[in-house]
Amino acid sequence: MARDEIEIINEPGPEHVPVRRRPDLVRFLVVGGLVGYVLGSLLGWLGPDAPDSSVTQEIILLGSVGLLLGVLLAAIAYLVADKISDRT
């Protein structure tokens, strides 16, 4: 009996397993797209007037370009944040 008790005491315990929290890709892309669209739209609204186009056309065009650039930058920021969170 004494030997069994010693074996139970000497068994290794649970190992420490690090928990990795990954950033959320969808949130990064949505926020990047919204920020890009707002900045592009403001540039179209407050910027210089383009010949042969209305303010609405400028807002839509520059807003959509800003949206694409915002999503691209957000994807890059996500990759950097994901790489940083991978370090243990």
Side-chain angles (χ1 to χ4, degrees):
M1 284 275 207
R3 184 176 178 152
D4 292 337
E5 292 176 12
I6 293 173
E7 288 181 41
I8 293 173
I9 293 173
N10 290 333
E11 287 182 5
E15 295 181 18
H16 175 68
V17 178
V19 177
R20 178 173 178 240
R21 292 189 60 199
R22 299 186 74 170
D24 189 9
L25 175 64
V26 174
R27 289 183 185 171
F28 268 82
L29 296 180
V30 168
V31 170
L34 286 175
V35 169
Y37 183 78
V38 168
L39 291 177
S41 297
L42 283 174
L43 182 64
W45 184 41
L46 300 174
D49 291 335
D52 298 329
S53 64
S54 68
V55 174
T56 306
Q57 289 173 333
E58 291 179 22
I59 290 173
I60 292 171
L61 177 67
L62 292 175
S64 60
V65 170
L67 181 123
L68 292 175
L69 289 175
V71 168
L72 177 67
L73 292 175
I76 293 170
Y78 168 79
L79 290 175
V80 170
D82 188 44
K83 186 69 174 175
I84 289 172
S85 72
D86 194 21
R87 296 181 184 168
T88 56

